[in-house]
């Protein structure tokens, strides 16, 4: 859904490398200072893998929405239960692949809007242990494999549960009942989802919670405050995404790319590798590794993370195209990781025609060259001396030149860096520019001012 429409174009010039402590809708009830510490790993992580694994992989239909939007009937959708085998499920191989890609965290669907739980829930509702031939808890071994690889564990949990008899919503434009007309029935549902959250929290102690579907009810109806309090009581360090009606820690623009830098302090772009979250045989509209890497760089340069989605097949294997994307991303990350992980968002647009990031002490500026950019590239308004420039990952030293510096003017000269075509990366080349001191930018309009 388009949370991003709520973003105001509020990049404050001059404040770009200080902390942007603004209040957002997702965090409106939360004191930001108190959560800054626990957000540390998230801020540095940059890349997460989103996993949409569920019965929707069986029949080439979209996750939950296909029955909600009446593209298939609910019974036809649920008949996929009998075809969900997880017969080749190999969580260790998954974890190894995510590690290879450079991901620092993962978010897995413990339950989507269809209500089918992937863990051994004690609640009498749908789950893959009792209702599918998979007959096993799919979350438990994955959590173990991820933790062995030092990858943080995120639990996606749909608040919406369109299959639950006590949940008001079901098919588009119709509902079972209204909360106001049957508060006791809604109370039963609250008890149910609170129990499921307690189970997940006790069993897996997630490092991050990724709620979805909050738009169907209010903060009061979801008991958002109680949800947050309970989850933090179990694990004070756990991070909660911004889909809890004002009780989350960070924003989650979905499939929407920022053009100006978001004013949110913490945000994450979640995005599919083709057009669907879950596996669909018919969807062959794959993004290329280049496109994925450039979107990743764009998010990081704007101070955010990328949560890149994969949709495993019903047997638990990951489609070849997604494996290839993750491997190519990993290759690029191994060469250029220094410019990504542990950095902060870059300089405002206008100084350099492309994305940038900064080292935390802001004495190193990383310039990302899209496509096959070579020849002289320019940086404007940089009020620093350059100590060195090199091509990241291959060590080639480059020369730079200051052009048009006027001795009596405060306006810095233009910097031209010569990039030979022979030094270029297959995807995106990164220049590492070491500065004499923390970066200082000239933000004026030129002239005598
Ligand atoms: O799990 C994936 C999707 O199934 C789920 N989130 C990702 C991570 C998803 N959430 N929303 N959408 C997909 C798009 C739906 C948007 C809408 Fe609406 C829901 C349009 C109409 C109803 C929210 C409420 C936005 C407008 C009104």
């Amino acid at each position: 859904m388009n949370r991003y429409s709520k973003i105001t174009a509020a990049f404050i010039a001059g404040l770009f490398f200080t902390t942007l402590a603004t209040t957002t809708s997702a965090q409106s009830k939360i004191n930001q200072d108190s959560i800054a510490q626990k957000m540390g790993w998230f801020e540095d992580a940059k890349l997460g893998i989103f996993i949409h694994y569920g019965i929707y992989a069986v029949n080439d239909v979209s996750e939950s929405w296909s029955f909600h939007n009446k593209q298939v009937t609910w019974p036809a959708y649920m008949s996929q239960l009998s075809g969900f085998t997880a017969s080749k499920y190999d969580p260790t191989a998954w974890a190894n692949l995510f590690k290879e890609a450079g991901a620092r965290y993962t978010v897995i669907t413990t339950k989507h809007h269809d209500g089918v739980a992937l863990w051994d829930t004690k609640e009498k509702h749908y789950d893959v242990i009792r209702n599918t031939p998979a007959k096993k808890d799919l979350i438990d071994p994955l959590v173990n494999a991820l933790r062995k690889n030092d990858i943080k564990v995120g639990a996606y949990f749909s608040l919406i549960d369109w299959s639950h008899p006590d949940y008001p919503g079901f098919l588009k434009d119709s509902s079972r009942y209204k909360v106001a007309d049957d508060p006791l029935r809604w109370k039963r549902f609250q008890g149910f989802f609170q129990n499921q959250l307690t189970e997940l929290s006790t069993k897996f102690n997630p490092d991050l919670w990724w709620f979805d579907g909050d738009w169907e009810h209010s903060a009061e109806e979801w008991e958002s405050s109680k949800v947050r309090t309970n989850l933090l009581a179990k694990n004070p360090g756990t991070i909660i995404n911004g889909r809890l009606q004002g009780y989350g820690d960070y924003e989650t623009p979905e499939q929407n790319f920022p053009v100006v830098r978001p004013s949110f302090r913490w945000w994450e772009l979640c995005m599919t590798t083709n057009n669907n979250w879950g596996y669909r045989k018919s969807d062959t509209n794959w993004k290329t590794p280049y496109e994925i890497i450039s979107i990743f760089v764009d998010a990081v340069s704007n101070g955010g993370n990328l949560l890149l989605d994969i949709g495993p097949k019903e047997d638990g294997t990951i489609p070849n195209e997604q494996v290839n994307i993750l491997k190519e991303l990993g290759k690029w990350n191994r060469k250029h990781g220094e410019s990504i992980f542990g950095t902060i968002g870059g300089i405002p647009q206008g100084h350099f025609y492309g994305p940038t990031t900064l080292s935390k002490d802001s004495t190193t500026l990383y310039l990302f060259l899209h496509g096959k950019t070579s020849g002289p590239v320019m940086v404007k308004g940089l009020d620093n001396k350059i100590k060195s420039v090199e091509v990241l990952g291959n060590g080639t030293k480059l020369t730079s030149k200051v052009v048009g510096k006027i001795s009596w003017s405060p306006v810095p000269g233009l910097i031209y860096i010569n990039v030979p075509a022979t030094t270029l990366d297959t995807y995106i080349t990164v220049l590492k520019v070491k500065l004499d001191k923390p970066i200082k930018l000239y933000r004026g309009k030129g002239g005598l001012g």
Side-chain angles (χ1 to χ4, degrees), residues 296-358:
F296 176 43
V297 166
D298 190 64
V300 174
S301 76
N302 279 312
N305 290 358
L306 176 67
L307 183 62
L308 183 64
D309 183 68
I310 59 162
K313 298 180 184 179
E314 66 76 22
D315 65 3
T317 56
I318 300 172
N320 287 338
E321 291 84 353
Q322 287 176 339
V323 172
N324 181 51
I325 285 170
L326 295 186
K327 289 192 173 210
E328 290 301 293
L329 185 54
K331 251 191 259 165
W332 188 87
N333 276 333
R334 277 192 290 286
K335 185 171 164 196
H336 302 101
E338 178 192 320
S339 63
I340 297 285
F341 303 105
T343 63
I344 55 177
I347 57 180
Q349 288 166 16
H351 292 275
F352 173 68
Y353 300 141
T356 61
T357 58
L358 284 162

Side-chain angles (χ1 to χ4, degrees), residues 2 4-5 7 253-262 267-272 274 287 291-292 294-296 298-299 302 305-306 308:
N2 191 357
Y4 229 43
S5 56
I7 295 171
E254 179 170 327
Q255 307 272 46
N256 287 281
F257 314 105
V259 175
V260 290
R261 183 165 166 181
W267 67 274
E268 167 199 81
L269 169 70
C270 56
M271 188 185 76
T272 53
N274 52 0
K287 297 179 179 74
E291 287 157 1
I292 302 267
S294 66
I295 293 165
F296 176 43
D298 190 64
N302 279 312
N305 290 358
L306 176 67
L308 183 64

